């Protein structure tokens, strides 16, 4: 079954069958059947893995298991802050279920229709932290149809949501692996802050090294919350905004009302004294006055992914569900993990400097500073779908992977055409 015939960033794959289970027992049957026929299985949750291959497997000849019909929120615990969800539960669906509660979901910048669990299993990154940090427990069906649970799983009403258990933990076996199909996860939630601000700071490209040192101090001292996002001007355009300064940085600040106010004042006064910025301000709480991507980000920090779909519309020129079939734009990501220092970012930016934009292709980069102190550098390529641009994009992707690879800046996640790099990235250097 040949699937994607439209020119895109990745070569087309065929699948031998498509199965859409509706419950745990259906998944067990599907895996036993595949095992009997010796057909490899490729599971997707909602299958919106845009930029990495969408719902296509890395190799042809697999059975595609689409889990979007398993979309129950099985349980939410609003005392401790966790939810048990199935693969088809979208971030919009879970965020909606939490409306008005004391907890929020760590949402990504992608569509509200994307799966929380699917994204976490590919180690996706939300605006609060990497999604793997949200995963407390997994329910998994193994290839022989057996069901196992790893990490924390609620038993009775008063079990603490402690994910590590005793002895080695099995949780890490399942993200980005093929040892089982995940049919549910316990996802940790984030307490709603009493007060939250989003700051916007703009600066010229030559100031980046000094800005990195300046903001790192506040981040390390716990003044900022969640992921600090620094977009270059092409990235702002790629996500549907308008080019302005060379770099635009967004910083989330939160806490009790008094603490959030003091932190905000501290950073704004620090910005004024540093003389690095052409603009440093607190964004208004009314998102109607903002550009589409800015409004989406501010809402996302507050756990609401619904603004993201206006951005998806702007980016692709059509709603999320039609992106693969109707959009005249294609998309690809390269996502190396980079140290958050001028010395760490310098080599990464050299690689980007060598990757030239051409007609119909825009290359943006976002420096996502994770709370753990390193950078998820998201290089986004947006292009007009044509045979010529698709060929250029494939060459650019190879060039970027080679450039980052030579500098040992390994991606945290791979697209389907570069999955073979996993073995060399994982190789033990000893
Ligand atoms: C404009 C734009 C913004 C984006 N922003 C972000 C962002 O901020 N952060 C981010 O991380 N991504 C982002 N993306 C990329 C992508 O859209 C998201 O990562 C999306 O969540 C992935 O699709 P999905 O949730 O449908 O997961 P799926 O495609 O269903 O799954 C992802 C992968 O996980 C594995 N998997 C899924 N379900 C299972 C299962 N049940 N058992 C075992 N393995 C499974 C599969 O190998 C699959 O390929 C963005 C894309 C665009 C175009």
């Amino acid at each position: 079954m040949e699937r994607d015939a439209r020119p895109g960033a990745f070569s087309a794959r065929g699948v031998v069958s498509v199965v859409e289970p509706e419950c745990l027992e259906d998944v067990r049957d599907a895996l036993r059947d595949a095992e009997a026929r010796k057909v490899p299985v490729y599971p997707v949750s909602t299958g919106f893995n845009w930029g990495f291959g969408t719902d296509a497997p890395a190799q042809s000849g697999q059975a595609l298991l689409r889990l979007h019909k398993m979309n129950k929120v099985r349980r939410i615990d609003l005392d401790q802050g966790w939810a048990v969800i199935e693969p088809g539960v979208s971030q919009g669906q879970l965020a909606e279920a939490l409306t008005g509660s004391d907890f929020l979901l760590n949402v990504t910048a992608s569509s509200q229709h994307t799966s929380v669990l699917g994204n976490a299993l590919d180690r996706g990154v939300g605006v609060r932290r990497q999604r793997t940090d949200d995963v407390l427990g997994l329910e998994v069906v193994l290839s022989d149809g057996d069901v196992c649970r790893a990490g924390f799983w609620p038993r009775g009403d008063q079990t603490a949501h402690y994910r590590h258990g005793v002895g080695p933990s099995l949780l890490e076996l399942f993200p980005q692996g093929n040892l089982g199909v995940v049919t549910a996860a316990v996802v940790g939630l984030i307490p709603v802050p009493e007060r939250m601000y989003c700051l916007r700071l703009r600066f010229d490209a030559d100031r980046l090294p000094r800005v990195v040192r300046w903001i790192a101090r506040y981040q390390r001292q716990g003044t900022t919350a969640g992921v600090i996002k620094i977009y270059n001007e092409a990235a702002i355009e790629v996500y549907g905004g308008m080019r302005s300064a060379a770099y635009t940085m967004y910083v989330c600040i939160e806490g009790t009302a008094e603490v959030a106010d003091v932190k905000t004042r501290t950073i704004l006064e620090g910005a004024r004294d540093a003389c690095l910025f052409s603009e440093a301000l607190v964004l208004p709480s009314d998102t109607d006055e903002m550009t589409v991507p800015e409004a989406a980000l501010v809402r996302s920090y507050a756990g609401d992914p619904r603004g993201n779909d206006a951005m998806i519309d702007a980016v692709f020129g059509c709603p999320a569900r039609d992106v693969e079939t109707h959009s005249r734009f294609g998309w690809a990501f390269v996502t190396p993990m980079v140290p958050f220092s001028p010395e760490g970012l310098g080599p990464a930016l050299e690689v980007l400097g060598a990757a030239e934009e051409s007609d119909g292709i825009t290359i943006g980069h976002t420096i996502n500073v994770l709370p753990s102190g390193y950078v998820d550098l998201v290089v986004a390529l947006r292009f007009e779908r044509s045979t010529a641009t698709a060929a250029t994009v494939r060459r650019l992707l190879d060039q970027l992977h080679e450039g980052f690879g030579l500098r040992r800046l390994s991606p945290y996640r791979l697209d389907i055409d570069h999955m073979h790099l996993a073995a060399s990235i994982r190789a033990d250097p000893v």
Side-chain angles (χ1 to χ4, degrees), residues 42-43 45-50 67 109-110 115 118-119 121 124-125 182 413:
Y42 183 72
S45 290
T46 43
F48 293 140
N49 211 1
W50 300 307
L67 297 157
S110 196
S115 161
N119 178 267
L121 288 175
V125 173
V182 178
R413 181 176 182 183

Side-chain angles (χ1 to χ4, degrees), residues 42-52 54-56 67 87 91 107-111 113-127 131 174 176-177 180-183 229 238-239 311-312 315-316 331 333 368 376 412-413:
Y42 183 72
V44 296
S45 290
T46 43
F48 293 140
N49 211 1
W50 300 307
F52 298 98
T54 310
D55 64 352
L67 297 157
Q91 48 175 0
V107 303
T108 71
S110 196
S111 162
H113 302 296
T114 55
S115 161
V116 177
L117 198 156
N119 178 267
L121 288 175
D122 211 9
R123 300 203 173 100
V125 173
V127 297
R131 271 269 176 80
F174 300 103
Q176 294 182 353
V181 173
V182 178
T183 45
K229 297 186 79 86
V238 158
Y239 290 104
M311 183 185 67
I312 295 288
V315 160
F316 289 110
W331 193 277
F333 284 120
N368 288 314
D376 157 31
Y412 80 88
R413 181 176 182 183

Side-chain angles (χ1 to χ4, degrees), residues 15-35:
V15 294
V16 291
S17 59
V18 180
V19 185
E20 300 195 336
E22 295 185 15
C23 62
L24 177 65
E25 283 310 314
D26 289 353
V27 176
R28 300 182 73 188
D29 289 346
L31 289 194
R32 285 193 201 106
D33 180 56
E35 174 82 352

Side-chain angles (χ1 to χ4, degrees), residues 196-354:
M196 199 193 89
Y197 296 108
C198 183
L199 311 191
R200 184 178 73 204
L201 301 99
R202 290 188 161 138
F203 56 95
D204 291 336
D206 60 349
R207 303 210 161 154
L208 181 66
R210 287 166 65 203
V211 170
V212 166
R213 284 205 188 89
W214 179 83
I215 194 66
R217 173 174 163 244
Y218 293 105
Q219 197 227 20
R220 288 175 187 154
Q221 295 304 314
T223 319
T224 64
V227 177
I228 297 169
K229 297 186 79 86
I230 308 174
Y231 298 84
N232 83 331
E233 57 182 343
I236 294 274
E237 183 185 296
V238 158
Y239 290 104
M242 292 208 307
R243 292 187 188 231
S244 46
Y247 281 104
T248 305
M249 173 163 72
Y250 293 96
V251 180
C252 179
I253 298 196
E254 66 183 22
T256 58
E258 300 80 359
V259 167
D261 284 350
V262 170
K263 285 177 172 177
T264 302
R265 223 176 23 249
T266 305
I267 293 198
L268 287 179
E269 286 173 10
R272 194 194 53 212
D273 294 347
C275 298
L276 293 170
F277 303 99
S278 54
E279 174 194 88
L281 50 78
V282 182
L283 288 173
S285 49
D286 181 3
T287 53
D288 287 348
E289 293 170 22
M290 297 175 195
T291 62
V292 167
E294 194 162 85
L297 178 62
V298 171
R299 290 175 72 174
S300 291
Y301 276 132
D304 175 2
R306 282 168 300 181
N308 295 356
D309 282 77
M311 183 185 67
I312 295 288
D313 272 16
V315 160
F316 289 110
C318 67
R321 294 193 186 284
D322 300 332
V323 161
E324 275 310 301
T325 46
H326 288 85
S327 176
R328 70 186 174 92
F329 295 106
W331 193 277
F333 284 120
V334 183
T335 51
M337 285 294 192
V338 177
F340 186 45
S341 64
E343 296 73 22
L345 280 164
L349 297 181
E350 264 170 44
V351 177
L352 291 176

